Amino acid sequence: MTVVDDQIGRPTSTSTIAYVIAHYIVGNGFLPGIYNLSNTGDVCSKYELAQFINKEYNFNKNIIPIKTPISKNCAKRQKNSIFKNRKKRMQKEKKKKPSKGFLLVYL
């Protein structure tokens, strides 16, 4: 299995997205605009994330790191997709989850 090692970001759970929608959009703290949302915590490459999942669940797969241009993915991807979450911080979100910690719950 090959996985790109030059695309980095923060893995984000659907529960985080659902929480933000429920808390901010349904609640009274909504600021209009476009939201870029990610969990807070560790930044990792897609390769590092694949290694983490492989190890946690003892899949014993051979994961080979490759660069984006070598991958067979036709979609253009950003190499750095780390969001700043400014609007979320402005709204004083106090709950923070480590980005890899939620994976243990949802995988």
Side-chain angles (χ1 to χ4, degrees):
M1 168 189 271
T2 59
V3 180
V4 293
D5 67 353
D6 58 353
Q7 294 178 19
I8 61 169
R10 287 188 179 98
T12 303
S13 69
T14 54
S15 67
T16 297
I17 296 167
Y19 174 83
V20 170
I21 289 170
H23 185 75
Y24 293 120
I25 295 176
V26 176
N28 295 327
F30 177 67
L31 291 176
I34 297 172
Y35 282 70
N36 291 315
L37 176 67
S38 67
N39 280 85
T40 56
D42 296 337
V43 172
C44 67
S45 71
K46 290 183 178 186
Y47 171 71
E48 291 169 323
L49 181 60
Q51 284 184 307
F52 175 79
I53 294 168
N54 192 34
K55 181 180 177 184
E56 285 297 315
Y57 291 92
N58 298 313
F59 290 143
N60 298 318
K61 299 289 182 187
N62 184 24
I63 302 174
I64 302 164
I66 62 170
K67 302 297 179 200
T68 298
I70 297 170
S71 72
K72 295 179 181 176
N73 188 343
C74 297
K76 291 188 177 186
R77 305 280 183 194
Q78 292 179 295
K79 287 192 176 183
N80 184 337
S81 61
I82 303 167
F83 300 126
K84 296 186 185 209
N85 294 326
R86 281 188 209 115
K87 286 183 185 174
K88 190 174 157 191
R89 281 198 310 269
M90 286 175 20
Q91 293 172 337
K92 298 179 183 172
E93 170 61 29
K94 293 180 183 176
K95 288 188 176 183
K96 294 185 177 181
K97 299 177 187 175
S99 62
K100 289 182 184 171
F102 78 85
L103 287 172
L104 297 175
V105 175
Y106 292 99
L107 291 176

